[in-house]
Short mmCIF file of all heavy atoms in Angstrom, two decimals:
data_model
loop_
_atom_site.label_atom_id
_atom_site.label_comp_id
_atom_site.label_asym_id
_atom_site.label_seq_id
_atom_site.Cartn_x
_atom_site.Cartn_y
_atom_site.Cartn_z
N MET B 909 106.75 -29.90 201.76
CA MET B 909 106.71 -30.64 203.01
C MET B 909 107.51 -31.94 202.92
O MET B 909 107.73 -32.59 203.93
CB MET B 909 105.25 -31.00 203.37
CG MET B 909 104.44 -29.86 203.93
SD MET B 909 105.03 -29.27 205.52
CE MET B 909 104.26 -30.45 206.63
N ALA B 910 107.90 -32.34 201.72
CA ALA B 910 108.52 -33.66 201.54
C ALA B 910 109.84 -33.78 202.27
O ALA B 910 110.30 -34.87 202.55
CB ALA B 910 108.72 -33.95 200.06
N ASP B 911 110.45 -32.62 202.63
CA ASP B 911 111.73 -32.71 203.32
C ASP B 911 111.56 -32.69 204.83
O ASP B 911 112.51 -32.91 205.56
CB ASP B 911 112.62 -31.53 202.90
CG ASP B 911 111.93 -30.21 203.14
OD1 ASP B 911 110.67 -30.18 203.07
OD2 ASP B 911 112.62 -29.22 203.42
N LYS B 912 110.32 -32.44 205.26
CA LYS B 912 110.09 -32.37 206.71
C LYS B 912 110.15 -33.77 207.32
O LYS B 912 109.69 -34.75 206.75
CB LYS B 912 108.73 -31.74 207.00
CG LYS B 912 108.70 -30.24 206.71
CD LYS B 912 109.36 -29.46 207.83
CE LYS B 912 108.31 -28.81 208.71
NZ LYS B 912 108.92 -28.08 209.83
N THR B 913 110.67 -33.79 208.52
CA THR B 913 110.90 -35.07 209.20
C THR B 913 109.63 -35.62 209.85
O THR B 913 108.79 -34.86 210.32
CB THR B 913 111.98 -34.87 210.28
OG1 THR B 913 113.13 -34.33 209.66
CG2 THR B 913 112.32 -36.18 210.98
N ILE B 914 109.54 -36.93 209.84
CA ILE B 914 108.54 -37.60 210.66
C ILE B 914 109.27 -38.22 211.83
O ILE B 914 110.29 -38.91 211.64
CB ILE B 914 107.81 -38.71 209.87
CG1 ILE B 914 107.04 -38.12 208.69
CG2 ILE B 914 106.88 -39.51 210.79
CD1 ILE B 914 106.47 -39.18 207.75
N LEU B 915 108.79 -37.95 213.05
CA LEU B 915 109.39 -38.60 214.22
C LEU B 915 108.52 -39.80 214.59
O LEU B 915 107.36 -39.63 214.98
CB LEU B 915 109.49 -37.61 215.39
CG LEU B 915 110.02 -38.21 216.71
CD1 LEU B 915 111.44 -38.74 216.56
CD2 LEU B 915 109.95 -37.18 217.84
N LEU B 916 109.09 -40.98 214.42
CA LEU B 916 108.37 -42.21 214.76
C LEU B 916 108.85 -42.69 216.12
O LEU B 916 110.01 -43.06 216.26
CB LEU B 916 108.63 -43.26 213.67
CG LEU B 916 108.04 -44.66 213.92
CD1 LEU B 916 106.51 -44.62 213.96
CD2 LEU B 916 108.51 -45.64 212.83
N VAL B 917 107.97 -42.65 217.10
CA VAL B 917 108.35 -43.10 218.45
C VAL B 917 107.79 -44.51 218.62
O VAL B 917 106.60 -44.70 218.82
CB VAL B 917 107.81 -42.15 219.54
CG1 VAL B 917 108.44 -42.49 220.88
CG2 VAL B 917 108.06 -40.70 219.17
N GLU B 918 108.67 -45.48 218.50
CA GLU B 918 108.24 -46.88 218.44
C GLU B 918 109.35 -47.79 218.94
O GLU B 918 110.49 -47.70 218.49
CB GLU B 918 107.90 -47.20 216.97
CG GLU B 918 107.58 -48.65 216.68
CD GLU B 918 106.32 -49.10 217.38
OE1 GLU B 918 105.22 -48.76 216.90
OE2 GLU B 918 106.44 -49.79 218.41
N ASP B 919 109.02 -48.66 219.89
CA ASP B 919 110.07 -49.52 220.45
C ASP B 919 110.08 -50.90 219.81
O ASP B 919 111.05 -51.64 219.95
CB ASP B 919 109.91 -49.66 221.98
CG ASP B 919 108.63 -50.39 222.34
OD1 ASP B 919 107.58 -50.07 221.75
OD2 ASP B 919 108.68 -51.29 223.20
N ASN B 920 109.01 -51.24 219.12
CA ASN B 920 108.92 -52.57 218.52
C ASN B 920 109.52 -52.52 217.10
O ASN B 920 108.99 -51.84 216.22
CB ASN B 920 107.45 -52.99 218.49
CG ASN B 920 107.25 -54.38 217.91
OD1 ASN B 920 108.01 -54.83 217.05
ND2 ASN B 920 106.22 -55.05 218.36
N SER B 921 110.63 -53.26 216.91
CA SER B 921 111.34 -53.13 215.63
C SER B 921 110.51 -53.69 214.48
O SER B 921 110.62 -53.22 213.33
CB SER B 921 112.71 -53.82 215.70
OG SER B 921 112.50 -55.20 215.94
N ASP B 922 109.64 -54.67 214.76
CA ASP B 922 108.74 -55.18 213.72
C ASP B 922 107.81 -54.07 213.24
O ASP B 922 107.64 -53.84 212.05
CB ASP B 922 107.89 -56.34 214.26
CG ASP B 922 108.68 -57.64 214.34
OD1 ASP B 922 109.89 -57.60 214.03
OD2 ASP B 922 108.09 -58.66 214.71
N ASP B 923 107.19 -53.41 214.24
CA ASP B 923 106.27 -52.32 213.89
C ASP B 923 107.00 -51.20 213.15
O ASP B 923 106.47 -50.59 212.23
CB ASP B 923 105.59 -51.78 215.15
CG ASP B 923 104.39 -52.64 215.55
OD1 ASP B 923 103.98 -53.48 214.74
OD2 ASP B 923 103.88 -52.46 216.67
N GLU B 924 108.24 -50.94 213.58
CA GLU B 924 109.03 -49.89 212.93
C GLU B 924 109.23 -50.25 211.45
O GLU B 924 108.98 -49.43 210.56
CB GLU B 924 110.39 -49.78 213.64
CG GLU B 924 111.35 -48.82 212.97
CD GLU B 924 112.76 -48.95 213.56
OE1 GLU B 924 112.89 -49.28 214.76
OE2 GLU B 924 113.73 -48.71 212.81
#
Side-chain angles (χ1 to χ4, degrees):
Chain B
M909 283 295 277
D911 55 330
K912 288 282 257 178
T913 304
I914 297 172
L915 176 62
L916 175 64
V917 191
E918 173 65 77
D919 66 315
N920 181 329
S921 62
D922 283 3
D923 278 348
E924 174 191 330

